[in-house]
């Protein structure tokens, strides 16, 4: 695709050069600064002074003044001119002779030995622009000889030339270019690279010099441009490799030059300009009779047979802007990045960022959002440039002004979309995505308020899920701008979050309460009431908590009480006084009950007033349910279970006070029995359970509970007391001969003895039992009692034997064998081999024990007693030894 990269500006018109001499033609040109030298076919050199003139519109032209012309005295055209400005000399090739003339006077320079400085038999030469010689007052050049297949390297001084090297070539060279030690030669049939220092060579590609004129042009350090077959401009470096793609120019190209990043080629009718970056043809200029094209330190000049022109490059930024104006984004970026080496670093960075930003807006306008985002990111776009396209998104307090000159052609989003609402929606979704990515980066430094406010407005308008995430996190939304926008789209819960973030918790709560009460419509959270409770629970502003807790408790006391029961405890946060909470909850009975349960059952606070208060509330609840008609048995059962558990497990409540509140209630006999048990009035408790409630399992359970933390004797006493109650028969006031009642009691007594026989004192029980009871009825009890008695007796005998054994062993250890011998002689111990064990082993051998035997630890330490006839399955030791 075309782009205007150059303008063709006349430098030397025909009349100024030749006047009325029609047969004079231009053969070669050389430019050094403002000085232009022209060689003609009549062996003249013309010297001109060029001054650049810029018009008020910025257009460039040249003011040309002819200073001098000089006839060289030969009959052939001037073939080539090269300036050596450091020597103030022109190197001239004419009629196969290379010689030096003065740049100012155009007079031939005599040599130090007399005569002119001349090299004869030359077909072509070139100057080394990257010389290896460090002498600034000499010029290195390569010369092609017409008589030999050689390349000669000369050093040119002010008044002499010196041959320093001569290298052979496989064919007659016709064109040469040099860079450092490397020669690029066009031979008769091919191109080649030759290192004149080492003699190493590298063939490039074949070429027929008879069909078309070869071109060899140095374009940069150790890199050359060559005219290849097929109308290609090939690049080759000193190693013979090509690091750039070729340009496709005309097959009739006669000259070429490089003005980075362009390759300029000249044929008989046109000037073509290709990009070295993408190898595309960028511009074509009509130019007839052209036959000279040279670049002089970035200035491209060309000549027809009658006039000289300058190919003036348009400013790079203008070229890029032309490409952007045509929406040729990729070409503009390639051109920008390719020109980096020709622009100072700071200036390039500024230019590059701006071009990337413009490219991003072009892609944005084309709805190519991924490319746009990438260009914005690389170009470090001030994100407000993008936000400003969206009406009303920037807060009113923003001081942002759009970049000038503008980065895009859009007035706003409506202008871009041209009324297409689908485009508008896509652009808004893109902005949401882009702002979400950059808000946590350095891109938004200094404009966080603008970005967060714009994002909030977009989230609210699009009903985006991320609105709450934005407001619940650290944000810089402008409150005055955000409030009306959130109200407009009924985002009241989100507005409450914004109030909270800005320290206005009371305003947030008022707003949320209005939502729960139905005054405002916002379905963002279905659990908003629970959220408010959690909010108050975590708030450290107790004044506000007391103010709004009443509303929460009236709404739902079960959930509302969490304000006090789930308050987090942490350093720096003062704990709420439970007494204050209990007083506050006085008018909310259900919440008060739950709070006391929290204090007593969860936090395990050991205070009598809390335990008593909770027990009374439990009792009041039970009494209330008992008074209802009909009675809800399910609720009553649960309420009584709570009351009974409280009465059994707590030991801090005031027992007499609670008992007094239920003294006359015949429906709470089990609870009254528990309270009598707390007061150690076990006879009253058992009387209630057995005679009034007639709940024998509860009576047994009472005895177990009442003695759970006491010694066995206390439990035995309770069970004997219960047995006595059973055996005493009917309570006072009833006929003693009631057969049904007495028979029921006797059955309960027998069951008690058979289930808990090991607890009772058998002798005492036998004394208590009626004489008419059969032994068969009591067999289970008697079996367990006898076995337990025998077990106790035998265990005692073993313990006694072990004690005596330990005593003898201690005497042996302390007094020595002499003392033990004395004991034996005195008859204290037997004299046989097993006499030491005679007091213990027979006892163990004689009995089989029904239970595991547990001996006192002091008897088991450091003792080893051999056991004969011991049954491991019947004892606690299974190894055959007691330790």
């Amino acid at each position: 695709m075309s782009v205007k990269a150059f303008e063709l500006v006349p430098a030397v018109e025909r009349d100024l050069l030749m006047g009325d001499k029609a047969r004079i033609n231009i053969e070669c040109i050389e430019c050094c600064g403002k000085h232009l030298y022209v060689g003609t076919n009549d062996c003249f050199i013309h010297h001109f002074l060029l001054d650049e003139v810029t018009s008020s519109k910025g257009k460039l032209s040249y003011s040309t003044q002819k200073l001098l012309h000089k006839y060289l005295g030969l009959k052939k055209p001037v073939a080539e001119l090269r300036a050596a400005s450091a020597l103030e000399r022109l190197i001239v090739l004419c009629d196969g002779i290379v010689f030096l003339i003065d740049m100012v006077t155009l007079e031939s320079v005599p040599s130090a030995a007399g005569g002119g400085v001349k090299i004869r038999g030359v077909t072509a030469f070139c100057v080394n622009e990257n010389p290896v010689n460090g002498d600034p007052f000499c010029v290195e050049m390569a010369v092609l000889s017409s008589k030999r297949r050689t390349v000669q390297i000369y050093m040119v001084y002010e008044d002499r030339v010196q041959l320093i090297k001569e290298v052979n070539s496989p064919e007659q060279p016709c064109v040469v270019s040099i860079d450092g030690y490397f020669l690029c030669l066009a031979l008769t049939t091919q191109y080649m690279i030759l290192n004149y220092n080492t003699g190493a060579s590298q063939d490039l590609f074949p070429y027929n010099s008879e069909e078309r004129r070869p071109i060899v042009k140095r374009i940069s350090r150790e890199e050359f441009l060559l005219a290849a077959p097929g109308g290609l401009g090939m690049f080759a470096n000193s190693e013979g490799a090509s690091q750039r793609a070729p340009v496709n120019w005309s097959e009739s190209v006669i000259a070429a030059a490089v003005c980075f990043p362009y390759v300029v080629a000249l044929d008989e009718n046109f000037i073509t300009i290709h990009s070295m970056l993408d190898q595309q043809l960028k511009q074509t200029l009509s130019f007839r009779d052209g036959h000279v094209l040279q670049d002089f330190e970035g200035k491209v000049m060309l000549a027809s047979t009658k006039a000289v022109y300058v190919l003036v490059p348009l400013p790079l930024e203008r070229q890029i802007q032309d490409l952007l104006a045509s929406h040729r984004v990729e070409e503009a970026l390639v051109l920008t990045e390719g020109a980096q080496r020709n622009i100072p670093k700071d200036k390039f960075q500024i230019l590059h960022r701006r071009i990337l930003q413009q490219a991003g807006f072009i892609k944005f306008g084309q709805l190519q959002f991924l490319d746009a985002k990438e260009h914005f990111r690389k170009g470090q776009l001030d994100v407000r440039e993008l936000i400003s396209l969206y009406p009303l998104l920037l807060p009113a307090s923003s001081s942002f002004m759009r970049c000038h000159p503008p980065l895009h052609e859009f007035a706003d989003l409506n202008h871009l979309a041209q009324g297409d609402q689908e485009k508008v929606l896509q652009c808004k979704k893109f902005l949401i995505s882009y702002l979400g990515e950059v808000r946590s980066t350095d891109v938004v430094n200094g404009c966080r308020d603008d970005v967060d406010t714009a994002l909030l407005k977009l989230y609210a308008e699009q009903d985006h899920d991320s609105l709450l995430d934005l407001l619940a996190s650290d944000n810089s939304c402008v409150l005055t701008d955000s409030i009306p926008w959130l109200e407009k789209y009924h985002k009241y819960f989100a507005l409450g979050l914004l109030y909270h973030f800005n320290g206005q918790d009371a305003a947030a709560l008022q707003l949320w309460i209005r939502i729960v009460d139905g005054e405002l419509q916002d379905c963002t959270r279905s659990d908003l009431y629970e959220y408010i409770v959690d909010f108050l629970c975590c708030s450290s502003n107790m004044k506000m908590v007391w103010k709004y807790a009443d509303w929460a408790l009236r709404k739902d006391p079960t959930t509302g009480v969490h304000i006090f029961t789930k308050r987090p405890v942490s350093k720096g946060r003062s704990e709420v006084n439970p007494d204050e909470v209990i007083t506050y909850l006085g008018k909310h009975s259900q919440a008060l009950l739950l709070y006391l349960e929290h204090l007593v059952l969860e936090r395990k606070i050991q205070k009598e007033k809390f335990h008593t208060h909770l027990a009374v509330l439990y009792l009041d609840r039970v009494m209330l349910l008992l008074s209802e008609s009909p009675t809800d048995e399910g609720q009553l059962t649960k309420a009584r279970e709570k009351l009974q558990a409280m009465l059994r497990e707590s030991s801090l409540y005031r027992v007499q006070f609670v008992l007094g509140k239920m003294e006359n209630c015949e429906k709470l006999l089990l609870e009254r029995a528990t309270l009598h048990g707390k007061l150690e009035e076990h006879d009253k408790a058992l009387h209630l359970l057995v005679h009034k409630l007639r709940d024998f399992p509860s009576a047994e359970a009472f005895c177990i509970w009442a003695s759970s933390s006491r010694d066995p004797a206390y439990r035995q006493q309770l069970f004997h007391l219960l047995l006595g109650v059973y055996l005493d028969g009917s309570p006072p006031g009833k006929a003693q001969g009631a057969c049904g009642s007495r028979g029921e009691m006797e059955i309960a007594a027998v069951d008690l003895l058979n289930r808990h026989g090991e607890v009772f004192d058998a002798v005492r029980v036998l004394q208590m039992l009626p004489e008419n009871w059969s032994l068969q009825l009591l067999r289970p009890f008697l079996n367990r009692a006898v076995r337990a008695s025998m077990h106790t007796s035998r265990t005692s005998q073993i313990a006694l034997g072990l004690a005596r054994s330990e005593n003898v062993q201690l005497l042996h250890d302390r007094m020595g064998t002499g003392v033990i011998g004395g004991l034996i002689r005195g008859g204290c111990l037997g004299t046989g081999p097993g006499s030491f064990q005679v007091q213990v082993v027979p006892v163990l051998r004689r009995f089989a024990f029904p239970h595991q035997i547990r001996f006192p630890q002091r008897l088991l330490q450091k003792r080893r007693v051999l056991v004969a006839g011991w049954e491991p399955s019947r004892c606690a030791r299974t190894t055959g030894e007691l330790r």
Side-chain angles (χ1 to χ4, degrees), residues 186-411:
L187 306 180
T188 307
T189 61
Q190 66 175 353
Y191 291 101
M192 71 175 296
I193 298 287
L194 178 63
N195 186 320
Y196 76 77
N197 184 48
T198 64
S201 63
Q202 175 67 51
D203 294 338
L204 298 179
F205 50 83
Y207 189 82
N208 190 345
S209 60
E210 295 180 358
E211 292 183 0
R212 59 184 57 86
R213 181 177 176 181
I215 297 174
V216 179
K217 186 71 179 179
R218 176 190 180 272
I219 62 171
S220 65
R221 185 180 181 88
E222 298 183 4
E223 188 175 14
F224 304 91
L225 173 64
L226 314 172
L232 295 177
M234 296 288 294
F235 300 93
N237 60 20
S238 59
E239 297 177 353
S242 179
Q243 295 179 334
R244 306 177 194 266
V247 295
N248 191 3
W249 58 28
S250 168
E251 291 193 8
S252 58
V253 168
I254 58 177
V258 171
C259 181
F260 193 85
Y262 297 108
V263 175
V264 182
L266 175 67
D267 61 22
E268 294 177 354
N269 297 305
F270 298 99
I271 304 167
T272 58
I273 300 164
H274 292 76
S275 171
M276 296 172 65
L277 304 174
D278 60 11
Q279 294 74 49
Q280 299 298 311
L281 177 63
K282 300 299 182 182
Q283 187 178 4
T284 301
L285 298 172
S286 178
F287 191 76
R288 296 184 178 276
D289 297 328
H291 71 114
V292 178
L293 175 62
Q294 293 283 352
D295 58 285
F296 305 102
E297 298 176 354
K299 182 185 295 183
V300 179
M301 303 188 74
L302 64 161
S304 64
T305 56
K306 305 298 182 182
V308 179
Y309 299 84
V310 179
L311 204 57
V312 179
L314 270 64
L316 182 66
E317 190 168 353
R318 179 178 168 183
Q319 296 180 44
I320 295 170
Q321 293 302 326
D322 288 346
L323 289 171
L324 292 174
S326 303
H327 292 182
R328 292 154 63 184
V329 171
E330 286 73 18
E331 291 182 66
L333 292 174
V334 169
L335 180 58
T336 304
E337 292 165 5
Q340 179 176 358
R341 70 179 190 178
N342 295 336
I343 303 176
K345 182 177 180 180
D346 294 342
K347 184 178 179 181
F348 172 77
Q349 289 178 345
I350 295 172
L351 173 65
H352 192 213
R353 282 198 296 267
R354 179 176 175 83
I355 301 306
L356 283 168
Q357 293 168 10
Q358 289 180 270
F361 278 107
I362 291 172
K363 292 295 184 181
F364 175 76
Q366 296 171 345
L367 306 186
Q368 298 180 23
F369 297 123
L370 289 178
D371 292 339
K373 180 169 67 174
E374 185 65 16
H375 293 327
F376 288 152
R377 184 186 64 81
K378 290 182 178 179
Q380 301 175 19
L381 175 73
D382 183 339
V383 70
R384 293 174 295 180
E385 287 282 356
L386 183 59
I387 298 174
S388 66
L389 282 175
Y390 297 72
L392 303 178
L393 285 194
L394 282 174
S397 59
S398 176
S399 60
F400 172 73
M401 298 291 292
R402 283 187 180 178
C403 177
H404 185 78
L407 296 173
H408 52 79
E409 57 188 13
F410 311 117

Side-chain angles (χ1 to χ4, degrees), residues 624-633:
L624 178 63
L625 290 172
L626 287 172
S627 65
E628 292 179 352
S629 180
T631 302
D632 188 333
E633 294 297 334

